[in-house]
Amino acid sequence: MAATITLDTLVDWLKLADAAIIEHSDELTALDAAIGDADHGSNMKRGMAAAVEAVDAGGFTAIDAMLKKVGMTLVSTVGGASGPLYGTFFLRMGGALAGRDEIDSATLAAAVEAGIGGLVQRGKAVEGEKTMLDAWYPALRALTAHPDDIAGAAAAAAEAAAAGRDATEPMIATKGRASYLGERSAGHIDPGAASTALILGALARAIAGEAA
Ligand code: ADP
Ligand code: MG
């Protein structure tokens, strides 16, 4: 197993994430119907499709330019709270990878950390508020724990994100639309944590060599 990944793997990631979002779109919308406005599946499907189209059309040769294009496309097409949040994630992740053609596990962890930093700056949430951060942070901790093994790191991150998603179920939302429900938001998985788990599952599969 290679110790590093290149642009091609990240493009596979995007495409596998798009496919996973399409496959689970109805589930994401059902989760959002319970504690939001039932648009998370369609929001994400629209955004990921536009991002794949933009990357295919762009002929990118640099990792940072490709990821920034994904970010800008998500900001402008997803709508809702999640568009600017995911968009900022990819913009910042791209920024952290400027000048890089190859990424090892520690670099990937640092780039994801930068992406989360952007997301936090934008959304002003912390861990435990029943948002996508409750999947991102456990994933980041798992990535950081495997600095010499990028495939192992990504697999652990995917697992941690799924566990983080499940852990949002009993939480009471204090950020985003679900917070309007107060205590009634408990008992439902957060849709954004669910989409984050799908995106990180796709990353693990891309790094393991699954072609898009
Ligand atoms: P909207 O809430 O505008 O309809 P979406 O349904 O697409 O947007 O996305 C909702 C998801 O966005 C939530 O499930 C949550 O994970 C995430 N979210 C909302 N507000 C925040 C925030 N301030 N910080 C982090 N994530 C947030
Ligand atoms: Mg919504």
Side-chain angles (χ1 to χ4, degrees):
M1 184 65 65
T4 61
I5 58 167
T6 59
L7 175 67
D8 289 350
T9 305
L10 294 174
V11 173
D12 284 340
W13 171 31
L14 177 69
K15 293 184 175 180
L16 290 172
D18 173 46
I21 294 287
I22 291 171
E23 188 184 342
H24 295 278
S25 162
D26 290 349
E27 265 164 63
L28 295 175
T29 287
L31 293 174
D32 198 29
I35 58 170
D37 57 353
D39 65 356
H40 192 58
S42 50
N43 283 346
M44 291 302 293
K45 210 158 70 167
R46 185 170 60 249
M48 294 302 285
V52 168
E53 199 180 326
V55 165
D56 277 341
F60 293 100
T61 55
I63 287 173
D64 62 334
M66 189 278 287
L67 289 173
K68 285 179 183 171
K69 184 70 185 181
V70 170
M72 286 183 295
T73 306
L74 293 177
V75 169
S76 61
T77 58
V78 174
S82 60
L85 293 169
Y86 275 125
T88 305
F89 176 89
F90 282 98
L91 282 167
R92 291 293 184 87
M93 183 181 185
L97 295 171
R100 300 260 185 187
D101 294 322
E102 274 190 70
I103 302 173
D104 63 12
S105 187
T107 306
L108 178 64
V112 167
E113 185 168 21
I116 293 171
L119 210 164
V120 167
Q121 202 177 24
R122 190 111 198 188
K124 308 269 183 291
V126 298
E127 209 171 349
E129 292 193 282
K130 198 181 182 95
T131 71
M132 61 175 74
L133 284 178
D134 295 312
W136 279 116
Y137 275 120
L140 174 62
R141 287 192 288 271
L143 283 177
T144 308
H146 298 80
D148 300 317
D149 171 16
I150 195 164
E159 231 173 87
R165 169 201 63 205
D166 293 346
T168 64
E169 186 166 353
M171 291 179 185
I172 294 169
T174 48
K175 283 285 185 311
R177 206 178 280 279
S179 66
Y180 306 158
L181 290 179
E183 289 183 5
R184 281 181 293 133
S185 64
H188 305 278
I189 285 174
D190 176 63
S195 57
T196 293
L198 291 173
I199 288 168
L200 285 162
L203 178 64
R205 288 186 286 118
I207 293 178
E210 188 176 322

